[in-house]
Amino acid sequence: MRFLRVFLVLAVAFGLAACGGGGKFRKYYGPEVTSVQVHKADRKMYLLHHGRVLKSYDIALGFAPEGHKQFEGDGKTPEGAYYITHRNPRSQFHLSLGISYPNTTDVAFAKAAGKPPGGDIFIHGGPPRPVSVRDWTAGCIAVTDREMEEIYSMVNPGTVIHILP
């Protein structure tokens, strides 16, 4: 009788573990994401396959969302054409995708003003603790952790990202 009880408990535990969703690293088998568009004014991000929207997300931006990022610490999210540089599985914001800001134009503008351009701009999950404001990042694009798992699986390094005002 004891053996049967232990067997049933283990069977239920393994069965529940199999339904757990597999953690934060998902697989994606759909059409390739050929570009990402961020519409800052609408707080929306779109994953596209040759102009066709595959997914859309509500987003949070830098704490000073108006205008293009120019300098380190300005709280702005960049605007322009960039690309996804890399995946970061150890992000402090669950998962993240690097964005190629600053480009050569951004660096030259900041240098002419005698200031650093900033960097470390990502699409990421989070926040790690609750926030009471809509736009809370230091210049990044934020979604929920669950959404970031999906985006992380769909978007590859090298994908173009257009960040629009």
Side-chain angles (χ1 to χ4, degrees):
M1 186 67 165
R2 179 175 163 86
F3 173 75
L4 181 59
R5 191 175 305 164
V6 169
F7 176 76
L8 288 174
V9 168
L10 287 174
V12 169
F14 284 119
L16 290 174
C19 296
K24 65 182 181 179
F25 298 105
R26 299 184 187 188
K27 299 284 185 202
Y28 174 68
Y29 300 103
E32 175 189 13
V33 174
T34 56
S35 67
V36 176
Q37 277 191 12
V38 173
H39 295 247
K40 288 172 55 174
D42 297 332
R43 304 302 191 277
K44 294 294 263 185
M45 179 172 68
Y46 303 94
L47 306 186
L48 297 106
H49 174 74
H50 299 298
R52 182 173 61 93
V53 175
L54 299 173
K55 287 287 200 172
S56 67
Y57 303 92
D58 293 326
I59 58 171
L61 299 169
F63 60 83
E66 300 292 320
H68 174 58
K69 181 167 194 62
Q70 297 176 323
F71 311 115
E72 184 175 303
D74 65 9
K76 296 181 182 297
T77 301
E79 296 174 356
Y82 298 93
Y83 63 91
I84 301 300
T85 58
H86 66 287
R87 288 185 169 120
N88 180 5
R90 293 185 179 88
S91 172
Q92 65 177 335
F93 298 103
H94 190 61
L95 294 169
S96 62
L97 297 172
I99 297 175
S100 63
Y101 177 88
N103 60 28
T104 54
T105 304
D106 299 321
V107 171
F109 181 86
K111 185 176 180 179
K115 298 182 178 183
D120 287 335
I121 303 297
F122 289 86
I123 301 170
H124 61 67
R129 58 192 169 280
V131 295
S132 61
V133 293
R134 179 180 188 177
D135 294 314
W136 57 270
T137 76
C140 297
I141 300 159
V143 294
T144 68
D145 287 352
R146 191 85 173 143
E147 291 169 335
M148 191 61 224
E149 291 170 8
E150 185 174 70
I151 295 162
Y152 191 89
S153 74
M154 294 175 73
V155 179
N156 293 314
T159 303
V160 174
I161 178 169
H162 298 278
I163 306 172
L164 308 170

